[in-house]
Amino acid sequence: MLSIANVASSAQAASYYEQADDYYSKDRSPSQWSGQAAATLGLSGPVQPEDFRRLLDGQLPNGEQLHNAAAGRRGGTDLTLSAPKSVSIQALVGGDVRLLAAHENAVARTLDYAETLAACRVTVDGVTTKQATGVLAVAQFRHDLSRAADPQLHTHCVVLNVTQRSDGAWRAMDNEALYRHKMLMGALYRSELAREVQALGYEVRIEHHDGRFELAHLSRAQVRAFSQRAVD
């Protein structure tokens, strides 16, 4: 499943991602940078809070401030990719940590596609057009709890509002294509995850015509028992 939402440019927004109340994963609940723009900016490995906050506010690691990075701007776009409940149960309660890697691989392939959608707006002589850039800076935060404190493996992929033009200039990222391709990216994540879990020896049970699935050995009643929001 994929949900998408804009992220404000504020320390409060940063804290939401950094202060994960993970119970099952504990030290196995990492953050990481991904995307070609992040690499160009020298960002790799775990996400450092100060780097993340500055980028939300339009400030690059070299101190450069993005054009029009004013108060109230969009800091980024949160693409949240959530594993099926049965995968979360098997990984976090059943202890099959291979499924964490399966989820991460599916997330990575989905973000590879998202990067092809990267673009910025260019204005020449009063005429504004879009220019494909193909590079993103993404801060990933993997969590393991739903808001109802059920096991729920999911990754917040915060696509920062920055991309690099072909001439090397850094500009705000046009996120319209991310919203337009939401359903496709969700389907891509599900298909890649299904392929990963089947390669590990699990059978899947298709639950919906859009490809949503659960692990076949866990019944619907077992899945429902770990889904408090569905019961309420």
Side-chain angles (χ1 to χ4, degrees), residues 10-120:
S10 68
Q12 182 178 6
S15 298
Y16 172 79
Y17 298 100
E18 296 159 6
Q19 297 175 4
D21 185 21
D22 290 337
Y23 173 77
Y24 295 96
S25 297
K26 296 185 176 12
D27 293 338
R28 293 186 283 110
S29 207
S31 66
Q32 66 176 33
W33 288 105
S34 62
Q36 295 180 57
T40 301
L41 290 169
L43 300 168
S44 62
V47 178
Q48 299 302 318
E50 192 57 33
D51 291 332
F52 184 51
R53 290 190 182 98
R54 286 175 178 170
L55 278 169
L56 283 174
D57 289 328
Q59 185 175 346
L60 305 184
N62 63 7
E64 178 184 345
Q65 193 75 24
L66 287 178
H67 181 60
N68 289 335
R73 71 185 291 274
R74 169 173 50 87
T77 307
D78 182 350
L79 308 177
T80 302
L81 292 159
S82 301
K85 181 62 71 174
S86 58
V87 174
S88 296
I89 295 169
Q90 190 65 40
L92 302 171
V93 181
D96 189 348
V97 297
R98 299 177 303 165
L99 291 170
L100 301 181
H103 166 73
E104 290 173 350
N105 290 340
V107 168
R109 293 178 194 129
T110 305
L111 291 178
D112 284 344
Y113 177 76
E115 193 153 40
T116 69
L117 306 175
C120 66

Side-chain angles (χ1 to χ4, degrees), residues 122-129:
V122 178
T123 301
V124 178
D125 296 329
V127 179
T128 299
T129 59

Side-chain angles (χ1 to χ4, degrees), residues 158-209:
V158 182
V159 179
L160 277 304
N161 188 11
V162 58
T163 191
Q164 189 175 36
R165 295 191 325 204
S166 57
D167 61 3
W170 292 95
R171 291 292 184 266
M173 207 278 290
D174 186 325
N175 69 348
E176 185 270 338
L178 295 179
Y179 278 89
R180 188 157 40 85
H181 289 249
K182 174 182 181 291
M183 301 300 290
L184 178 57
M185 289 190 290
L188 175 59
Y189 166 74
R190 289 191 295 273
S191 65
E192 290 294 335
L193 182 59
R195 186 161 65 94
E196 289 277 339
V197 301
Q198 289 176 95
L200 294 175
Y202 289 101
E203 294 184 6
V204 301
R205 179 179 66 249
I206 302 300
E207 295 283 336
H208 196 271
H209 63 79

Side-chain angles (χ1 to χ4, degrees), residues 86 89 205 214-224:
S86 58
I89 295 169
R205 179 179 66 249
E214 298 291 352
L215 299 181
H217 71 284
L218 290 174
S219 69
R220 291 185 176 89
Q222 288 171 312
V223 170
R224 189 172 177 81

Side-chain angles (χ1 to χ4, degrees), residues 146-165:
S146 70
R147 291 186 178 182
D150 287 317
Q152 184 59 63
L153 175 62
H154 62 285
T155 300
H156 291 278
C157 305
V158 182
V159 179
L160 277 304
N161 188 11
V162 58
T163 191
Q164 189 175 36
R165 295 191 325 204

